[in-house]
Amino acid sequence: MTHSLLLKTDQTNCYNESGHAVPCVGSGQDAETNRTQSIQAERFNVREEVVIDQASGLSWSQNASPATFPMSWSEAFEYVDQLNRSRHNGIDNWRLPSRRELFSLISHQHINPALPEAHPFTDVFSGYYWTASACRRLADQAWYIHLGGGRIYRGMKYGSYMLWPVTGPQLDEGQMSNRFVIENDTVQDRLTNRVWLRPLDAVERPVKWEKALEAIDVLNVQNACGYADWRLPNIRELESLVNLNCHSPALPVDHPFDHVAEGYWSSTTSVYEKRYAWVLYPRDGAVGVGFKRLPEFYVWAVRSDISQPT
């Protein structure tokens, strides 16, 4: 089961479509229901230049740029092999992190770098870092993450980006038998204990971000499927559905969702530019942003399964 902290962001403030701060109460935005701040403060332990993340169980090099310079995807793997031969920080089983593993470190409240407040890491480059995850649809590309703002995208493997080694038990990449349970028009995700509205588009057309939040209010007034606690998902909840072994869409092979759209709004504002909100692009699984005032993305409602721990 996915650790509950990895399904929540650390966002603490709410913003309107103009990027101005607004009260969170009644906004339907990510920060309204976020209660992770105290947990984040106790998240990391440092032991001899190795940082243990208690949320994921992963151990990271405290120095986020041991190579000091960017390199291609294949060179990044070779460099990690060198770290293991030299027992970097006394460890010989470093690896390049998967996309989900590196994403687990990303903050949605801080930028440059986009890491949690009071993190203990050094030499963090506020630019792109390779992950070990290849793009399924485009074999000559692999995934990288922008440590300045948190964007996840794919690029040519010959590109030059930084690397940050990790060790420890690999995070679950979403491959779980009988993961989804269908009940009428809802789908329970047994991996994350989230319940998704099976009709993926709550309004049947792309809408502006604030209209997406309003659409969730309507679902709750209507007591859709017998529930009145639907939410616009935060960006971590949306990303938790991605399976990088698939494409078009990049969802688990046995997913029960029909007519998956090109992009879905999250309730999470991009603090890099507060007039934008985070968006999941399901074709390959990219995580980018959308301009809040443009009606370009769809609404996918979620709720927490209160009968299970979240």
Side-chain angles (χ1 to χ4, degrees):
M1 184 181 299
T2 303
H3 192 293
S4 61
L5 185 59
L6 300 183
L7 291 171
K8 300 175 183 177
T9 77
D10 56 349
Q11 193 151 106
T12 58
N13 300 315
C14 297
Y15 307 92
N16 62 19
E17 65 179 17
S18 299
H20 300 138
V22 296
C24 283
V25 176
S27 68
Q29 296 186 35
D30 184 358
E32 182 180 11
T33 57
N34 195 340
R35 300 290 183 270
T36 66
Q37 292 83 356
S38 61
I39 302 174
Q40 292 281 359
E42 303 169 354
R43 178 174 172 177
F44 301 108
N45 286 331
V46 182
R47 298 179 186 173
E48 299 180 353
E49 300 183 78
V50 175
V51 177
I52 301 169
D53 182 355
Q54 297 181 92
S56 65
L58 297 170
S59 295
W60 298 85
S61 170
Q62 186 173 22
N63 181 345
S65 302
T68 72
F69 54 87
M71 55 188 64
S72 71
W73 196 58
S74 61
E75 290 170 339
F77 282 99
E78 293 169 1
Y79 190 87
V80 172
D81 287 342
Q82 293 178 24
L83 292 178
N84 288 328
R85 287 193 293 271
S86 65
R87 291 187 58 82
H88 177 65
N89 291 337
I91 294 173
D92 62 3
N93 62 344
W94 294 107
R95 65 177 184 273
L96 202 62
S98 71
R99 195 187 94 156
R100 185 152 290 156
E101 288 172 336
L102 188 54
F103 183 57
S104 73
L105 288 179
I106 293 296
S107 166
H108 294 92
Q109 181 61 31
H110 305 282
I111 60 172
N112 296 323
L115 292 175
E117 186 175 9
H119 71 83
F121 301 108
T122 62
D123 298 320
V124 182
F125 174 62
S126 293
Y128 289 108
Y129 278 76
W130 281 120
T131 78
S133 304
C135 178
R136 181 72 173 181
R137 184 174 62 88
L138 303 167
D140 54 358
Q141 298 188 25
W143 292 98
Y144 50 71
I145 297 182
H146 189 256
L147 264 290
R151 182 173 180 258
I152 305 176
Y153 206 63
R154 50 179 168 70
M156 302 299 291
K157 293 177 179 177
Y158 58 69
S160 292
Y161 305 113
M162 302 295 285
L163 70 89
W164 191 351
V166 70
T167 187
Q170 295 185 339
L171 286 190
D172 195 313
E173 294 297 321
Q175 300 180 44
M176 176 185 185
S177 61
N178 301 315
R179 174 176 171 177
F180 300 105
V181 178
I182 301 172
E183 184 176 345
N184 299 321
D185 285 333
T186 67
V187 175
Q188 180 189 10
D189 184 346
R190 296 172 56 244
L191 183 66
T192 62
N193 287 328
R194 294 298 187 267
V195 177
W196 298 87
L197 195 62
R198 195 178 184 197
L200 270 67
D201 180 22
V203 291
E204 299 182 349
R205 66 182 186 280
V207 295
K208 299 188 298 182
W209 187 63
E210 290 192 349
K211 291 295 183 182
L213 294 167
E214 291 173 7
I216 300 297
D217 289 338
V218 172
L219 289 177
N220 289 326
V221 169
Q222 295 174 340
N223 205 43
C225 298
Y227 299 107
D229 56 355
W230 295 103
R231 299 180 283 106
L232 194 64
N234 69 48
I235 193 56
R236 289 197 176 280
E237 290 172 319
L238 279 174
E239 197 280 335
S240 74
L241 291 170
V242 171
N243 186 319
L244 294 178
N245 292 318
C246 303
H247 70 83
S248 308
L251 298 177
V253 65
D254 61 345
H255 77 85
F257 305 108
D258 299 321
H259 309 298
V260 180
E262 286 296 310
Y264 290 94
W265 286 115
S266 79
S267 60
T268 310
T269 289
S270 168
V271 293
Y272 205 83
E273 219 304 359
K274 300 177 183 67
R275 295 177 300 166
Y276 290 74
W278 288 101
V279 171
L280 175 70
Y281 297 85
R283 185 182 189 189
D284 291 316
V287 175
V289 296
F291 189 53
K292 292 178 178 179
R293 290 183 173 179
L294 293 181
E296 294 184 332
F297 303 106
Y298 291 80
V299 181
W300 196 351
V302 72
R303 59 181 296 273
S304 300
D305 184 354
I306 59 175
S307 67
Q308 301 288 337
T310 59

